[in-house]
Structures are given as structure tokens and as C-alpha cells.
Amino acid sequence: MQKFDAIRPFYDSEINEALHNVANHPMMKALMNFTFPDVEDSVWKEQLRKTHSIRDFQCNFIYQSVQKVLEKSSEGITTSGFENLEPNTSYLFVSNHRDILLDTTLLNTALFEHGLVMTASAIGDNLVKKAFLNTLAKLNRNFLVQRGLTPREMLQSSKLLSEYIGNLLVHENRSVWIAQREGRTKDGNDATNPGVLKMLGMASDEKEPMDYFKKLKIVPVAISYEYDPTDALKMPQLMAEANNEVYVKDKNEDFMTILSGALGQKKRIHIHVGTVIDTEIDTIKAANDSANKQVVALAQVIDDAILSNYKLWPTNFIAHDLVHKSNEYAHKYTENEKSLFERRLEMRIDHDNQVALDGFLAMYANPVTNQLKYHDVV
């Protein structure tokens, strides 16, 4: 399958050589020293050089790194819905997206702990321009989504990507993680871009596109952090958009965001996986005669599942009350939790900058507003 070489992760047959090549890299040393602070470098290097599969690398090294990240920067992770998934079965996880690396890494941690198939995961090629990061991504079963292309290149790239994802799911029995839209959610409004679904559908081998989506076994994922460790870093882009300006990233911005996401304080984290979207697809087909309307309706079903099952934290209710200048949800948080949130707001946002202030609060408040569309939040 050489046509996928430009975007695929390593095959297991390539893992050992790749690990030999990066075993002495200073960033690998930093990662391993963080993960195994009491272990001599020679010990983990020896273990790396004995590793011959992605699964072994993920289970013996990356899983341990995630545990250390959670220990140092969170109050733990809880999950729900995983008991409804079948072992040895591939799923297409369509997820809201808050953090560059953590979202997919934490999902894989939960899948591993529940004895389920871990994912191959989409990552923008703009995030792995440094050679070491590219290698690390391929070691973690990340496949590349190519960015910054011309319209013609984008079409070809989308076809290749959809074919690769379909091949993983249908023929290799490998689960796949993909964000519901390009880029991370900056404003707390999680919404599925129908264009993502259209891209996935390009590889359809079914007469009816919806039958192909049924075959992919789509599972919506809602991940929520009590504190978004990159909340303040998302403000410059929001401010530029509010002023109708084109936002240009600093050349090291993505890397700093990855570090902040891993090491910044998150407090509690929750991941909810929904059930496979199946009978809903039959309903969509019966109610809509055009393929475009069907895709839009499917995006809405995914949104409904993510928004209604998003775990709301005290920070969300505090922000909602601050935005609306009310105490409606005061029973959902303590005075101490409120003062901690206000202190974070004070330290991270210039209070003379109303756009940044409003954007920061909206990021946390919008999940409450969105959930109110589905049921009372009491």
C-alpha cells in the first residue's frame, strides 16, 4: 500500500529502527526522564532498543508518560460509555477537540484500560514539522492530515485520507480518531463540520453514502477538562477573529501549546463515548432525499451526542453565572472554586481587554448554554 506512505504511521517492522534513531535525541531523553525519573538512562534506552511494535511502545512507554502527566497536572480522569463498546472491534471515534495531543492520547489510555482496540489518530502535518515530533507521531500511530494545500491538492489529499481511514476501519480492524472539525475548539462551541463527513464518505464503496457511514461504526466522543490548560493561549486567535483580522501563528506556537497542554493544570477530566450511530442513519435516510442534507443531518446527530453528554464542571457554571451576572448555578460550585476560577481569570487575562475577557468566559460558559438546548441543567 505504498500510496499511503506520505501520511501513514510506521509499520511494526519499522519501529525498532526508528527507536534506535531517536534513542539518543535530547527530546526523547527529556520525555523518558519525565516518565521514569528514578530510572537510569541506560535502562530505558535498552528497553527502547528491544521494542518492535507500536503497541509495545505505547503500552510500555507512552501509557506510563500519560500516567505521569495525569499525576502531575490533573486530579484524575473518569470515563463513561466504554462498557457499551465491543472488544476486537474497530470504531470511528468522532470527537470534540480541545487539546492537540491529550484528547486522542487520553482516549487511547481509556481504550487500553477497557481492553478495546486503540486508535490510529489524525494529526495536522503542521504540528510535526520537526523531525523528532514527526517520528514520535508515527510511533504513536498518528497519520497525517495535510494542510496548506491548493484546492486541487486538497481534493487529492482528501481522497487519499478517506481511503486510508476506510482501509484501517474496514480491512485492518483498526479504530480511528478524528476531530469533528479542523483545529481545536477555541470558544467552547463544539460543532461537527459536515465537510469532515464528506471527506470520510469519499471512499464509499456503497451505493448509498449513509450505508457506508453505517459500516464505519461512528461513535461520538465528548471530552471535557475542568480547566483547559491552554485557555489563555487560545485568546489571541479569538481576538483576531473578533477584529476581522487574519491570525498568523508564531513559529513555535504549536509546540508551546503541546507542552502547555501536557503540563498545565487540568484538574478533573472526563471522557464519554456514545453508542454507535446506527438506527439514526436509517431515520436520516428516510427523512432526507439528498446526500448533502443527509450529511448535515448526520453531523447534527453527532453534535447532539457530544453536546448533551459533555461533562459540565464547576468552572463551566461559574463562567455561565459571570457572563449572565447571576447566581443561577451557585449550587453547582463552592465559593472557593469560584475564587480559584476568578484568580485564574485575573492572572491570565488583561481585564482592560474586554474581547479577551468575554472570550475566556465564553469558552467555559458555552458548554452550559449548549447543554440547555437538550435538557434542563439543575
Side-chain angles (χ1 to χ4, degrees):
M1 303 292 271
Q2 286 181 312
K3 64 180 170 182
F4 299 132
D5 282 355
I7 63 170
R8 67 169 176 82
F10 291 125
Y11 294 133
D12 280 347
S13 60
E14 300 166 325
I15 290 294
N16 191 253
E17 182 182 353
L19 286 170
H20 272 77
N21 290 340
V22 295
N24 292 315
H25 195 285
M27 289 180 77
M28 180 61 84
K29 175 178 167 61
L31 177 62
M32 292 296 116
N33 289 166
F34 169 79
T35 306
F36 307 110
D38 302 321
V39 175
E40 292 288 332
D41 287 3
S42 59
V43 175
W44 58 257
K45 283 183 183 180
E46 179 65 20
Q47 291 306 310
L48 272 183
R49 292 186 175 114
K50 289 180 181 175
T51 299
H52 290 269
S53 73
I54 287 181
R55 183 176 176 81
D56 282 351
F57 178 67
Q58 287 184 316
C59 296
N60 297 330
F61 296 95
I62 298 304
Y63 179 78
Q64 306 303 325
S65 302
V66 173
Q67 297 310 309
K68 191 62 73 172
V69 164
L70 290 172
E71 174 194 319
K72 288 186 172 292
S73 69
S74 82
E75 291 178 8
I77 181 171
T78 53
T79 63
S80 54
F82 287 86
E83 65 280 0
N84 297 319
L85 301 179
E86 298 288 335
N88 305 315
T89 303
S90 63
Y91 298 99
L92 174 58
F93 294 102
V94 180
S95 170
N96 68 329
H97 190 24
R98 297 301 175 87
D99 185 272
I100 291 173
L101 286 189
L102 275 183
D103 296 351
T104 178
T105 306
L106 294 178
L107 173 64
N108 271 322
T109 298
L111 290 168
F112 172 65
E113 290 177 347
H114 285 86
L116 298 163
V117 176
M118 289 191 284
T119 71
S121 303
I123 189 169
D125 65 355
N126 57 302
L127 300 175
V128 291
K129 293 204 179 298
K130 293 181 188 296
F132 175 79
L133 292 179
N134 187 39
T135 298
L136 191 61
K138 291 165 77 169
L139 285 165
N140 272 295
R141 207 178 267 115
N142 289 122
F143 57 90
L144 300 182
V145 180
Q146 295 168 312
R147 306 281 195 222
L149 304 177
T150 66
R152 176 175 287 195
E153 291 169 335
M154 179 63 75
L155 180 62
Q156 293 304 315
S157 175
S158 295
K159 284 179 179 175
L160 184 70
L161 188 60
S162 65
E163 195 175 332
Y164 181 66
I165 290 171
N167 185 65
L168 287 171
L169 289 161
V170 178
H171 300 295
E172 295 190 22
N173 199 38
R174 170 62 56 193
S175 289
V176 170
W177 176 94
I178 193 165
Q180 63 184 163
R181 70 181 194 219
E182 181 181 332
R184 293 164 298 132
T185 308
K186 310 291 196 302
D187 59 4
N189 281 318
D190 299 308
T192 304
N193 181 354
V196 170
L197 300 179
K198 288 177 182 175
M199 179 276 292
L200 291 166
M202 284 181 172
S204 173
D205 53 1
E206 299 285 344
K207 188 177 171 186
E208 297 278 343
M210 286 293 118
D211 292 339
Y212 181 65
F213 287 123
K214 205 174 210 187
K215 194 157 73 173
L216 298 184
K217 297 191 285 291
I218 297 172
V219 174
V221 179
I223 180 164
S224 56
Y225 302 87
E226 187 166 7
Y227 278 103
D228 182 335
T230 62
D231 48 17
L233 298 178
K234 294 175 179 177
M235 288 305 105
Q237 185 170 345
L238 277 180
M239 289 163 59
E241 289 168 359
N243 295 324
N244 291 316
E245 296 169 358
V246 175
Y247 180 68
V248 180
K249 285 184 180 179
D250 180 80
K251 68 174 184 176
N252 288 319
E253 184 173 328
D254 287 328
F255 182 65
M256 294 310 297
T257 300
I258 289 170
L259 280 182
S260 297
L263 302 176
Q265 180 54 239
K266 293 164 272 291
K267 292 197 78 175
R268 292 170 290 184
I269 306 163
H270 187 78
I271 302 178
H272 175 84
V273 295
T275 53
V276 176
I277 295 174
D278 187 270
T279 54
E280 299 91 339
I281 288 176
D282 298 330
T283 304
I284 288 169
K285 281 175 65 178
N288 301 279
D289 52 3
S290 85
N292 195 52
K293 286 180 181 175
Q294 288 176 350
V295 166
V296 170
L298 179 57
Q300 188 61 56
V301 169
I302 295 169
D303 287 353
D304 293 345
I306 291 173
L307 296 174
S308 62
N309 289 296
Y310 187 93
K311 173 81 173 176
L312 297 174
W313 300 109
T315 48
N316 301 117
F317 294 112
I318 292 164
H320 194 273
D321 277 357
L322 289 173
V323 167
H324 295 279
K325 297 181 172 55
S326 78
N327 292 310
E328 183 180 359
Y329 293 111
H331 59 289
K332 292 284 191 179
Y333 52 83
T334 65
E335 279 302 312
N336 185 50
E337 286 169 331
K338 185 177 182 181
S339 65
L340 280 174
F341 182 81
E342 289 177 326
R343 178 170 165 73
R344 184 184 183 92
L345 184 63
E346 200 173 288
M347 290 175 65
R348 292 184 163 227
I349 301 297
D350 176 3
H351 277 235
D352 292 330
N353 188 329
Q354 196 61 44
V355 173
L357 194 61
D358 291 345
F360 189 94
L361 288 174
M363 180 191 301
Y364 286 95
N366 280 332
V368 179
T369 303
N370 290 331
Q371 204 158 108
L372 286 168
K373 298 169 189 171
Y374 298 93
H375 49 75
D376 289 337
V377 180
V378 294

